[in-house]
Amino acid sequence: MLSSLLSIFIVSALFNNVIMAQFLGTCPFLGVSKSIETASGMGFAVIFVMVLANIITYFVQLLLIWAKVEYLQTLAFILVIAGLVQMVEIMLKKLSPGLYKSLGIYLPLITTNCAVLGIALLAIKKNYGLLESVVYSFATAFGFLVAIVLFAGIREQMKYSTIPRAMEGFPIALITTGIMALAFMGFAGFKLPF
Amino acid sequence: MSINFKNELYRGIVTENPIFRIVLGMCPTLATSTSAMNALGMGVSVIAVLTCSNMVISMLRNVIPDKVRIPAFIVVIATFVTVVDLLIAAFIPPLYEALGIFIPLIVVNCIILGRAEAYAAKNPVVPSIVDGIVMGIGFTLSLTMLGAMREFLSAGMIFGYAVAPFKHQFILMILAPGAFITLGLVLAGINFIQNKES
């Protein structure tokens, strides 16, 4: 049991990293990675939202199955997630105005962060139970945090280098991500000892 | 009022191209451009959803209160995404397998919500439909182009037909790094041409 949870954690955080292997959540990844501080803020917000979203959607799915309307899954999930994000936004505004200010426009955009909806849908698709689903979402969000903080670190360094004019902004960010993804592919060679 | 479709099309494909100029909707762009066929399938689904949602949102623009407009837009979009999802699952199962989770994820595609917010919520029905179509075409063309490039680089094929004079395998281009690097280089190329022009 524990080893299967641990393997879910390692596989989803590193081997199958949301950004580097699954392309989920690329918009905030490119958008809020200019400094390590905002990147980690975004990362923690995603961890919080993603785990909560997975817990809630687990029960929503049970409800949908009970009412025999599974085809409403996408609609129901996105509404629940949108409501949740709104709540997190209000809480953050009250509790940490500084962080709220720096995350700015991107907090409402967690709603359209495909990673949150994507992971909720994937957890259902993989037939995970509640505990597995929580571990899975936490691991995935943790993988997001690791990736975005590493990337923000590289971007902070990049400020001091001269980049060809045509490569400034998105192109160099995408190519850097590509090289990082190449590095993350190295994890695929590992074999879990359990 | 009349709409110049040609000018609108130019706007969707060139000046306001959703992928290359506004850089929206990265996740599906990167994930579904593994081959030209997958990219085209994704693009057509997006055209369908974008046109229908633009139409309905534009019809409802005076009814929806400003404060709850985003959730209302999402409900409209999610409805059409569900329709498209079920249609593809029923009629094109191989495409459904290939695109997988990225069909329901059209609902959170920034392009669709972005067009609803920036255009359909402020304009009458017919221009909104046109906007949906041209933006969708811009998205589809760019996505298919990327898909064709990656398919060509990885296996020397486009739409499943061998076009390269020699046989090769370069799996990396289908995998994640290939997606990021190809898109990065294409964007850099576009910037380069643009810088030269100005």
Side-chain angles (χ1 to χ4, degrees), chain A residues 15 19 24 33 43-44 51 59 101 111 124 126 128 141 163:
Chain A
F15 297 8
I19 291 167
L24 293 170
S33 51
F44 285 116
V51 173
F59 291 107
K101 223 176 174 182
T111 316
I124 303 286
K126 292 183 183 203
Y128 281 159
I163 296 162

Side-chain angles (χ1 to χ4, degrees), chain A residues 11-24 26 147 177 180-182 184-185 188, chain B residues 30-31 34 102 150 174-177 179-180:
Chain A
V11 167
S12 3
L14 296 176
F15 297 8
N16 229 343
N17 188 286
V18 248
I19 291 167
M20 300 304 168
Q22 302 191 63
F23 306 112
L24 293 170
T26 323
T177 316
M180 277 178 75
L182 207 55
F184 268 78
M185 270 174 68
Chain B
L30 295 163
T34 46
F102 284 93
R150 281 177 66 193
I174 302 191
L175 298 175
F180 287 114

Side-chain angles (χ1 to χ4, degrees), chain A residues 20 23-24 71 75 114 166-167 174, chain B residues 27 78 82 105 176 180 188 191:
Chain A
M20 300 304 168
F23 306 112
L24 293 170
Y71 59 87
L75 187 61
C114 12
M167 299 282 263
L174 281 166
Chain B
C27 315
T82 308
L105 283 184
F180 287 114
N191 280 350

Side-chain angles (χ1 to χ4, degrees), chain B residues 123-143:
Chain B
N123 288 289
V125 178
V126 177
S128 298
I129 295 176
V130 173
D131 182 75
I133 296 174
V134 294
M135 284 294 159
I137 292 177
F139 178 75
T140 308
L141 279 183
S142 342
L143 190 63

Side-chain angles (χ1 to χ4, degrees), chain B residues 68-115:
Chain B
V68 293
R69 67 181 193 289
I70 303 283
F73 293 170
I74 290 177
V75 172
V76 172
I77 296 167
T79 309
F80 287 112
V81 169
T82 308
V83 171
V84 168
D85 186 47
L86 294 174
L87 283 176
I88 296 180
F91 292 107
I92 329 174
L95 188 66
Y96 190 74
E97 284 294 310
L99 297 181
I101 184 115
F102 284 93
I103 304 173
L105 283 184
I106 296 177
V107 84
V108 282
N109 188 326
C110 325
I111 295 171
I112 296 179
L113 195 61
R115 288 328 288 176

Side-chain angles (χ1 to χ4, degrees), chain A residues 87-166:
Chain A
M87 197 189 81
V88 171
E89 194 185 342
I90 294 169
M91 272 168 52
L92 208 61
K93 207 175 187 173
K94 264 265 182 299
L95 297 175
S96 165
L99 192 60
Y100 178 78
K101 223 176 174 182
S102 62
L103 289 182
I105 175 173
Y106 284 98
L107 202 65
L109 283 186
I110 292 189
T111 316
T112 52
N113 179 343
C114 12
V116 179
L117 179 62
I119 294 307
L121 289 171
L122 279 175
I124 303 286
K125 222 175 201 173
K126 292 183 183 203
N127 263 326
Y128 281 159
L130 185 58
L131 190 59
E132 287 166 311
S133 179
V134 169
V135 171
Y136 176 61
S137 55
F138 178 76
T140 308
F142 181 73
F144 179 83
L145 175 73
V146 169
I148 197 172
V149 169
L150 285 175
F151 184 58
I154 296 176
R155 266 191 136 172
E156 283 193 351
Q157 290 300 310
M158 224 146 53
K159 264 186 245 158
Y160 305 106
S161 13
T162 27
I163 296 162
R165 221 178 115 214

